[in-house]
C-alpha cells in the first residue's frame, strides 16, 4: 500500500512550516507511531532545533561533487528503516548531481511507494504554476520548483498562514535569519507588499483544492446549474498558429480574476476541423498546462454548440475565442464560429481576441475540408448551373479568335472547379452541359448539335471523360479525407482512454467522466442487471442497479438511454444526450470495455480484502492443529507418567515421592488446562465470537490482581501504577489474562535477581501499561515474529512453554480496542507496551 503524503504549504520562508511539521511528528510519536526525521533544515532557528530533541534522526548521504562535500536525503536508509512516518523538509529541493533522483519530490515519491507516510514542506513560490508570477512580484527568480500536480496529489495540504506584519516581527526578533541579514531581507524580499501578494497566492492555491469537493457534491446531487463560486476560463483552440496568443490571453484573464481555472479545449468535428495542426496542438497543450491549465478534447459536428456544451459542463463563466482567420467574402457567406458562439452563449461571457492571423485567410493546405458538406454541394451545383452559361456568354464574342481546344480547356477548368467545390455529380452535370454548350456555340456547324469534324468529336469525348475522371477522384478523395478525419478523432479519443489507464485513473466515475466529456453527453451510466434476464427488463428500472455514473439525470434502464452498449449479459453502458453513429460506437465500446475492466478490478480488490481475514483464520487453524499434535503432548505425557507411576504397586513409594508425583501431575494438568483455554480463546478470536464486556477499568485494581495470579512468581514483579491514572475501557478479566501472560513471560526471561517492572502512564487519549524485563531481549527484526502462534525465540527449553501466550495477548488486546507492541528496554531487555483507550474515548469493537 502506498504511503500518504502531507504537505505544509507556506507563503514565504519563516512562517513556521518546519516547526509545524516537527510538531506533527512529535504528536504522532506520542500517539505511538514510529516517526523518524529523514531530513530537516533548522536554518539555525533554536525553537525549531529544540523540537528535534529526543527524535530519531537518520544519517544523511554524503556526496562529493567538484571537490566539495554535500549531504542529501538518504532514501535507501529511510526505506530500510521502514518507519510509519518520515519527516522530510523542502519538497522542491534540487539534489546535488550524483544523486539517484534530480528532485527531492522524486525521492519522496520513492519513499511513498515503499508504503511510508511522509510529511514535507514547500513554499508557494516554488510551485511551477506561480513561479513566474512570484518573480514578477519580488524580482527574485526561484530556480527550485516542484510541479503543481505533485502537491495536488498530496493526501492533505495544510496552509501555514501568518500575516506579513507578524512575519516581519519574527524577523526583527531574530527568529528567522541571523541579525546581520535581517535589515537587507526586510528591505527587499520581505516587504509588506510582497508578503501580502505571496500570502494571497497561497490562499488561492489552497482554495483551489476545495473545488474538487464541490464538483463531487454537485455530481452527487445532480446539480446542473452554473454555480459561479469561482471563475473558469475556457479557451478554444483550432490548432492554428494563433493558439499560443489565445492561451496566453486566457491565462491573463484567469490571473486577473483571482484564482480562476484555465481550461483549453479543442473540438474535433466529424468532418474535420480546418487548421488542426497536430504539432501546434501539442505545443499549445504544453503551454496551457505549464500555466496551470488543463487540456481537453471533445468531438462535435456543430463546433459552436460543442464548445458551449463543454463550457457549461465544466461550469465555465468565460470563453475565449480567436477572431476569424477567414477573409471578408467567406464571412459574408457564413457568420463563423465566433459570431455563432456569441449568439448562443447565454450567461457565459465570450471574448473574441484579435491576433496576427485574423482575416489573412487560410493557407492552401488548410482549405481542404475533410468531407463534402451540404453547403459545398450546393455551391457546386450553383457553379454548374450558373457558371457554364456565364462562361459561354464570356467566350462567345471571342470564338473567332480562340480555337476549340482552348475553349475546351477553359470549360474543363470550370468543371474541375465544380468538382473541387461540389464533388462528382455536380461535375458530371457540368461536364455534360459544357459539352452541349461547346457543341452548340463553338463547334462547327455553330448553332446545331452536330459535329462535322471527327477531331472535334474526339476532343469533346476526351473533355467529358477527363471531367468525369477528375470529379470522381475529387469525390473519392473527399470521402477518404472524411474517413481519415473520423479515424483521427477516434484515435484521439482512444489516446485519451489510454492516457487515462496509464495515469492510473482506474476509478469508474473518473472513466465515465472522461467519456461524457469526450462526446459531450449529458450523462453516462454503467448499469448491472439484478437477477435473471426477462423479455421486457430493458425498460424496467427495477431490473437494473447503477454501478457508477457521471453527469446529471443518470439512466435507470437501457431503454431510456439515447445510446447503449452491451458489455456482457449483465452489464450495459447507457449514454444520454444524443444519438451516436456507428463510428462513435466503436470508441464508445472501447470505453465500455475499459469500464468493465475497472469494475472487475474494484471487485477483485474488494474480494482480496475480504479474503485476508479468511486466510489469517486458516493460518490460525493450521497452527492450532500443530499445537494439538505437539504442545499438548508434553504436559499430557508428564501427567500420564506420574499417574501410572502412582498406580504401580510393585514400587513402594515414600510419602515424599508420592507427593512429588502428585504435584507433577497437578502442575502438568494445570498447564494443560491453561493451554486448552488459550487455544479455545484463540479460536474464538479468529471466529469473532469471543464475548467481551467492555467497561471502565481502574489499573490500580487490575494490575495487583494480575500479580497475585502469578502465585510463586509474584515476588519477582514490582508494580508502579499511579492512582491518578484515568480509567481505561477494557474487559477486566481479559486484561488481567493479558497482563498475566506478559508478566509470566517476562519473568521466565529475566535473569535471577532482576525484577520485572510494571508501570503505567498516559499519552494523549491512551494509557500505556509497560511490562519491562532485563532479559536477553529480542532483535528488532524479530519483534513481530514473537506474536505468531507457537513461536519460541531464544535458547530456552521448549518444554517450558507453548509459544501461544503472546499471540493470544495481542489478539485479546486488539479485541478490546487496544494495541500491544514490543520495544527494546534501554540497557538491555524487552518492554511490552499495552496501550488502551481512556474512558472518554470508548471504542466498541
Amino acid at each position: 500500500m502506498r504511503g500518504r503524503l502531507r504537505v505544509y504549504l507556506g507563503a514565504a520562508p519563516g512562517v513556521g512550516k518546519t516547526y509545524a511539521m516537527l510538531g506533527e511528528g512529535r504528536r504522532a510519536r506520542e500517539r505511538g507511531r514510529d516517526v523518524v526525521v529523514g531530513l530537516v533544515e533548522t536554518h539555525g532557528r533554536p525553537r525549531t532545533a529544540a523540537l528535534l530533541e529526543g527524535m530519531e534522526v537518520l544519517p544523511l548521504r554524503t556526496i562529493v561533487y567538484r571537490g566539495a562535500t554535500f549531504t542529501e536525503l538518504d532514501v535507501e536508509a529511510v526505506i530500510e528503516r521502514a518507519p510509519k512516518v518520515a519527516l522530510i523538509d523542502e519538497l522542491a529541493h534540487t539534489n546535488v548531481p550524483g544523486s539517484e533522483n534530480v528532485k527531492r519530490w522524486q525521492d519522496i515519491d520513492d519513499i511513498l511507494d515503499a508504503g511510508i507516510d511522509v510529511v514535507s514542506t514547500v513554499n508557494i513560490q516554488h510551485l511551477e504554476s506561480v513561479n513566474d508570477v512570484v518573480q514578477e512580484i519580488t524580482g527574485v527568480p526561484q530556480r527550485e520548483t516542484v510541479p503543481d500536480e505533485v502537491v495536488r496529489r498530496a493526501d492533505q495540504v495544510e496552509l501555514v498562514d501568518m500575516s506579513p506584519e507578524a512575519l516581519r516581527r519574527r524577523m526583527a526578533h531574530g527568529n528567522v535569519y541571523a541579525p546581520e541579514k535581517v535589515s537587507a531581507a526586510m528591505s527587499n524580499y520581505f516587504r509588506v507588499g510582497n508578503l501580502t501578494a505571496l500570502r494571497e497566492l497561497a490562499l488561492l492555491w489552497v482554495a483551489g483544492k476545495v473545488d474538487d469537493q464541490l464538483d463531487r457534491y454537485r455530481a452527487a446531487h445532480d446539480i446542473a446549474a452554473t454555480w459561479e463560486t469561482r471563475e473558469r476560463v475556457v479557451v478554444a483552440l483550432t490548432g492554428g498558429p494563433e493558439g499560443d496568443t489565445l492561451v496566453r490571453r486566457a491565462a491573463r484573464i484567469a490571473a486577473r480574476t483571482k484564482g480562476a481555472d484555465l481550461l483549453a479545449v479543442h473540438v474535433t468535428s466529424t468532418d474535420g476541423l480546418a487548421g488542426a495542426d497536430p504539432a501546434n496542438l501539442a505545443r499549445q497543450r504544453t503551454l496551457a498546462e505549464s500555466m496551470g491549465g488543463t487540456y481537453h478534447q471533445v468531438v462535435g459536428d456543430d463546433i459552436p454548440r460543442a464548445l458551449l456544451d463543454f463550457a457549461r459542463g465544466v461550469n465555465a463563466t468565460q470563453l475565449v475565442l480567436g477572431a476569424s482567420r477567414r477573409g471578408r467574402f467567406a464571412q459574408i457567406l457564413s457568420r463563423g464560429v465566433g459570431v455563432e458562439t456569441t449568439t448562443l452563449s447565454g450567461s457565459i461571457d465570450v471574448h473574441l481576441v484579435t491576433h496576427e492571423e485574423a482575416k489573412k485567410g487560410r493557407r492552401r493546405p488548410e482549405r481542404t475540408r475533410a468531407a463534402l458538406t451540404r453547403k459545398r454541394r450546393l455551391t457546386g451545383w450553383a457553379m454548374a448551373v450558373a457558371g457554364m452559361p456565364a462562361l459561354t456568354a464570356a467566350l462567345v464574342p471571342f470564338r473567332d479568335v480562340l480555337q476549340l481546344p482552348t475553349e475546351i480547356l477553359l470549360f474543363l477548368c470550370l468543371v474541375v472547379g465544380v468538382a473541387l467545390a461540389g464533388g462528382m455529380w455536380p461535375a458530371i452535370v457540368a461536364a455534360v452541359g459544357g459539352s452541349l454548350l461547346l457543341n452548340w456555340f463553338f463547334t462547327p456547324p455553330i448553332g446545331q448539335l452536330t459535329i462535322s469534324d471527327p477531331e472535334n468529336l474526339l476532343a469533346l469525348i476526351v473533355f467529358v471523360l477527363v471531367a468525369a475522371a477528375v470529379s470522381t477522384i475529387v469525390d473519392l478523395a473527399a470521402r477518404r479525407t472524411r474517413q481519415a478525419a473520423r479515424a483521427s478523432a477516434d484515435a484521439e479519443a482512444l489516446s485519451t482512454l489510454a492516457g487515462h489507464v496509464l495515469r492510473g485513473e482506474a476509478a469508474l466515475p473518473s472513466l465515465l467522466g472522461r467519456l461524457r466529456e469526450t462526446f459531450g453527453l449529458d450523462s453516462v451510466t454503467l448499469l448491472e442487471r439484478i437477477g435473471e434476464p426477462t423479455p421486457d427488463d430493458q425498460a424496467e428500472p427495477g431490473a437494473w442497479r447503477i454501478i457508477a455514473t457521471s453527469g446529471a439525470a443518470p439512466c435507470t434502464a437501457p431503454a431510456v438511454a439515447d445510446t447503449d452498449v452491451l458489455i456482457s449479459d449483465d452489464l450495459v453502458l447507457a449514454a444520454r444526450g444524443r444519438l451516436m453513429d456507428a463510428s462513435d460506437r466503436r470508441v464508445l465500446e472501447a470505453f465500455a470495455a475499459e469500464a468493465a475492466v475497472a469494475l472487475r478490478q474494484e471487485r477483485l480488490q474488494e474480494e482480496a480484502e475480504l479474503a485476508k481475514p479468511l486466510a489469517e483464520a486458516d493460518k490460525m487453524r493450521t497452527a492450532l492443529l500443530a499445537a494439538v499434535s505437539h504442545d499438548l503432548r508434553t504436559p499430557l505425557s508428564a501427567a500420564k507418567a506420574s499417574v501410572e507411576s502412582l498406580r504401580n504397586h510393585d514400587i513402594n513409594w515414600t510419602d515424599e515421592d508420592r507427593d512429588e508425583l502428585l504435584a507433577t501431575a497437578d502442575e502438568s494438568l494445570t498447564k494443560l488446562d491453561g493451554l486448552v483455554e488459550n487455544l479455545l480463546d484463540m479460536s474464538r478470536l479468529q471466529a469473532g465470537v469471543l464475548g467481551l464486556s467492555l467497561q471502565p477499568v481502574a489499573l490500580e485494581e487490575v494490575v495487583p490482581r494480575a500479580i497475585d495470579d502469578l502465585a510463586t512468581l509474584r515476588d519477582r514483579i514490582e508494580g508502579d501504577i499511579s492512582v491518578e491514572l484515568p480509567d481505561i475501557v477494557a474487559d477486566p478479566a481479559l486484561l488481567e489474562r493479558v497482563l498475566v501472560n506478559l508478566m509470566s513471560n517476562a519473568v521466565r526471561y529475566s535473569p535471577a535477581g532482576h525484577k520485572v517492572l510494571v508501570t503505567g502512564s498516559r499519552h494523549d487519549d491512551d494509557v500505556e501499561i509497560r511490562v519491562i524485563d532485563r532479559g536477553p531481549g529480542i532483535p528488532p527484526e524479530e519483534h513481530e515474529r514473537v506474536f505468531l502462534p507457537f513461536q519460541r525465540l531464544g535458547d530456552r527449553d521448549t518444554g517450558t512453554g507453548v509459544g501461544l501466550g503472546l499471540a493470544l495477548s495481542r489478539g485479546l488486546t486488539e479485541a478490546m480496542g487496544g494495541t500491544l507492541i514490543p520495544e527494546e528496554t534501554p540497557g538491555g531487555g524487552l518492554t511490552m507496551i499495552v496501550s488502551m483507550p481512556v474512558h472518554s474515548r470508548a471504542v466498541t469493537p
Side-chain angles (χ1 to χ4, degrees):
M1 181 181 294
R2 181 177 168 87
R4 297 173 61 84
L5 175 61
R6 181 174 184 173
V7 177
Y8 284 95
L9 175 68
V15 295
K17 302 181 303 301
T18 304
Y19 191 90
M21 179 184 71
L22 289 173
E24 173 60 24
R26 295 185 72 90
R27 288 190 294 271
R29 186 167 173 266
E30 290 172 357
R31 291 192 296 268
R33 302 198 73 190
D34 184 14
V35 182
V36 301
V37 177
L39 185 146
V40 165
E41 299 287 354
T42 64
H43 300 289
R45 299 163 188 168
R47 293 184 60 190
T48 302
L51 289 179
L52 284 172
E53 295 178 6
M55 299 192 72
E56 180 181 353
V57 181
L58 297 182
L60 301 178
R61 180 185 178 191
T62 301
I63 299 176
V64 178
Y65 177 66
R66 293 184 178 178
T69 302
F70 301 87
T71 56
E72 292 287 2
L73 172 69
D74 194 335
V75 179
E76 293 182 358
V78 176
I79 295 176
E80 183 178 354
R81 170 62 176 77
K84 292 294 185 183
V85 182
L87 309 182
I88 303 174
D89 214 355
E90 297 185 357
L91 182 67
H93 172 76
T94 301
N95 293 330
V96 174
S99 303
E100 183 177 349
N101 294 312
V102 177
K103 292 285 190 176
R104 184 166 293 164
W105 65 264
Q106 295 170 325
D107 294 339
I108 291 176
D109 206 51
D110 292 341
I111 295 172
L112 292 172
D113 286 339
I116 301 171
D117 294 349
V118 175
V119 184
S120 189
T121 64
V122 70
N123 280 327
I124 189 65
Q125 68 264 28
H126 295 299
L127 297 183
E128 186 72 52
S129 64
V130 298
N131 182 259
D132 55 343
V133 179
V134 173
Q135 180 176 351
E136 182 178 352
I137 293 171
T138 64
V140 179
Q142 299 292 336
R143 306 191 185 281
E144 293 187 330
T145 59
V146 59
D148 288 49
E149 188 59 27
V150 173
V151 185
R152 289 190 186 279
R153 285 200 309 262
D155 299 279
Q156 186 173 350
V157 177
E158 186 167 340
L159 178 67
V160 182
D161 189 29
M162 180 176 289
S163 68
E165 293 77 8
L167 180 55
R168 285 170 61 87
R169 281 197 300 271
R170 287 197 66 201
M171 295 188 63
H173 294 157
N175 294 329
V176 179
Y177 291 144
E180 62 270 17
K181 298 181 180 179
V182 170
S183 178
M186 294 180 68
S187 302
N188 294 285
Y189 190 93
F190 289 82
R191 295 193 297 268
V192 172
N194 290 355
L195 296 177
T196 302
L198 293 175
R199 187 187 187 198
E200 184 178 26
L201 284 175
L203 290 168
L204 289 172
W205 195 94
V206 174
K209 287 182 67 72
V210 179
D211 283 332
D212 296 336
Q213 300 174 345
L214 179 60
D215 289 343
R216 288 194 295 269
Y217 177 86
R218 293 178 72 237
H221 292 78
D222 296 330
I223 300 173
T226 300
W227 285 6
E228 295 186 10
T229 53
R230 66 181 302 168
E231 296 285 353
R232 283 182 173 83
V233 182
V234 173
V235 53
L237 302 178
T238 65
E242 77 282 359
D244 295 5
T245 301
L246 298 181
V247 171
R248 292 189 176 94
R249 178 63 171 167
R252 288 195 295 271
I253 293 174
R256 285 201 301 267
T257 51
K258 303 299 181 185
D261 288 337
L262 174 64
L263 300 92
V265 60
H266 170 63
V267 178
T268 300
S269 62
T270 55
D271 63 350
L273 181 60
D277 187 327
N280 285 346
L281 281 176
R283 185 183 68 254
Q284 291 156 13
R285 174 177 184 167
T286 303
L287 178 63
E289 291 175 345
S290 69
M291 294 182 175
T294 56
Y295 178 85
H296 307 266
Q297 179 166 313
V298 297
V299 177
D301 292 320
D302 190 331
I303 296 175
R305 292 187 183 278
L307 284 174
L308 291 172
D309 288 344
F310 174 82
R312 294 188 180 103
V314 298
N315 205 27
T317 56
Q318 302 189 60
L319 179 60
V320 178
L321 302 172
S324 176
R325 285 185 284 143
R326 301 180 307 153
R328 292 185 178 179
F329 180 77
Q331 293 186 36
I332 293 174
L333 297 177
S334 173
R335 295 197 301 176
V337 173
V339 176
E340 189 71 17
T341 304
T342 304
T343 303
L344 302 174
S345 63
S347 61
I348 300 176
D349 297 334
V350 179
H351 302 264
L352 284 177
V353 179
T354 59
H355 49 84
E356 295 180 356
E357 301 295 324
K359 295 186 180 180
K360 285 186 177 181
R362 300 188 184 274
R363 298 182 180 89
R364 189 171 185 82
E366 296 172 345
R367 284 203 301 265
T368 302
R369 300 294 299 239
L372 296 180
T373 62
R374 183 172 179 271
K375 183 182 294 186
R376 285 185 56 178
R377 293 186 182 278
L378 291 176
T379 302
W381 283 110
M383 291 175 62
V385 173
M388 288 296 175
L391 179 61
T392 302
L395 292 180
V396 165
F398 303 99
R399 60 186 172 189
D400 295 334
V401 179
L402 300 175
Q403 298 295 320
L404 180 61
T406 303
E407 295 163 342
I408 289 177
L409 287 176
L410 292 175
F411 271 83
L412 182 60
C413 289
L414 180 58
V415 171
V416 171
V418 173
L420 291 173
M424 181 175 63
W425 292 110
I428 293 294
V429 172
V432 174
S435 67
L436 295 175
L437 291 173
L438 284 168
N439 190 351
W440 183 273
F441 288 101
F442 301 102
T443 304
I446 295 174
Q448 299 180 22
L449 292 178
T450 58
I451 300 174
S452 59
D453 190 347
E455 186 176 347
N456 292 339
L457 176 62
L458 179 62
L460 287 176
I461 292 174
V462 171
F463 164 73
V464 173
L465 292 176
V466 170
V470 169
S471 61
T472 302
I473 292 172
V474 169
D475 188 74
L476 181 63
R479 293 178 186 276
R480 293 292 182 265
T481 305
R482 179 177 59 188
Q483 294 171 0
R486 164 56 66 183
S488 176
D490 291 348
E492 289 287 352
L494 293 174
S495 174
T496 300
L497 175 62
H500 179 279
V501 175
L502 291 174
R503 287 189 295 271
E505 302 173 7
L508 275 172
S510 173
L511 182 66
L512 299 184
R514 286 278 184 177
L515 175 58
R516 182 177 63 87
E517 176 186 285
T518 299
F519 288 101
L521 301 170
D522 293 338
S523 67
V524 180
T525 307
L526 183 64
L527 298 171
E528 184 176 42
R529 191 192 308 272
I530 302 173
E532 295 297 325
T534 58
D536 56 350
D537 65 357
Q538 294 294 309
E540 179 57 45
W544 302 86
R545 62 167 166 264
I546 296 176
I547 301 298
T549 187
S550 175
C555 299
T556 55
V560 302
D562 294 319
T563 304
D564 63 277
V565 175
L566 181 65
I567 303 174
S568 66
D569 292 340
D570 297 325
L571 277 180
V572 173
L573 185 69
R576 174 179 286 170
R578 65 183 179 89
L579 292 174
M580 305 183 75
D581 57 31
S583 57
D584 284 336
R585 286 186 65 89
R586 289 198 300 269
V587 180
L588 192 65
E589 288 168 358
F591 273 90
E594 179 58 29
V597 172
L599 176 62
R600 188 159 51 248
Q601 289 176 341
E602 286 185 4
R603 290 183 171 174
L604 286 174
Q605 186 174 1
E606 292 173 359
E607 291 176 3
E609 293 296 327
L610 293 174
K612 284 182 180 179
L614 298 178
E616 293 296 329
D618 185 66
K619 186 189 300 183
M620 179 57 61
R621 282 192 293 270
T622 302
L624 290 175
L625 291 174
V628 170
S629 64
H630 180 275
D631 294 304
L632 291 177
R633 186 178 304 164
T634 301
L636 189 59
S637 298
K640 182 179 180 181
S642 298
V643 172
E644 288 179 349
S645 298
L646 289 172
R647 292 184 61 188
N648 190 342
H649 299 291
D650 296 335
I651 302 176
N652 293 320
W653 299 106
T654 65
D655 292 340
E656 293 180 357
D657 292 337
R658 185 174 286 103
D659 290 341
E660 184 177 350
L661 289 173
L662 289 172
T664 301
D666 180 67
E667 182 181 354
S668 298
L669 292 174
T670 300
K671 288 182 179 179
L672 186 61
D673 180 69
L675 175 59
V676 171
E677 187 176 0
N678 284 344
L679 290 173
L680 290 175
D681 282 344
M682 185 62 74
S683 298
R684 295 189 188 101
L685 274 175
Q686 295 300 317
V689 296
L690 180 69
L692 293 176
S693 177
L694 298 181
Q695 56 187 278
V697 176
L699 281 184
E700 65 269 18
E701 298 177 0
V702 175
V703 172
R705 289 203 304 267
I707 295 175
D708 290 340
D709 288 345
L710 293 175
T712 58
L713 299 178
R714 69 168 66 93
D715 294 334
R716 299 192 58 186
I717 304 295
E718 180 180 345
D720 184 14
I721 303 297
S722 173
V723 295
E724 297 180 357
L725 286 175
D727 290 351
I728 62 174
V729 178
D731 184 309
L734 294 183
L735 179 61
E736 187 175 329
R737 285 192 61 190
V738 169
L739 295 178
V740 169
N741 280 338
L742 296 179
M743 289 187 291
S744 61
N745 189 69
V747 168
R748 284 197 299 270
Y749 276 97
S750 293
H754 290 79
K755 289 189 174 183
V756 173
L757 179 62
V758 181
T759 66
S761 59
R762 176 170 182 171
H763 297 272
D764 292 333
D765 294 330
D766 295 309
V767 171
E768 290 185 355
I769 310 164
R770 294 174 175 260
V771 180
I772 307 167
D773 68 55
R774 291 292 179 179
I778 300 174
E781 61 272 15
E782 301 287 348
H783 278 180
E784 287 304 311
R785 275 193 60 203
V786 301
F787 295 108
L788 297 176
F790 319 109
Q791 298 293 317
R792 300 183 183 87
L793 300 182
D795 56 358
R796 65 184 177 89
D797 180 10
T798 60
T800 61
V802 296
L804 188 61
L806 291 180
L808 179 60
S809 296
R810 170 171 276 191
L812 294 176
T813 303
E814 292 178 349
M816 293 185 290
T819 59
L820 173 59
I821 59 174
E823 188 179 89
E824 293 184 56
T825 302
L830 184 70
T831 299
M832 287 291 182
I833 305 173
V834 179
S835 180
M836 299 298 297
V838 300
H839 178 47
S840 59
R841 195 171 66 89
V843 177
T844 302

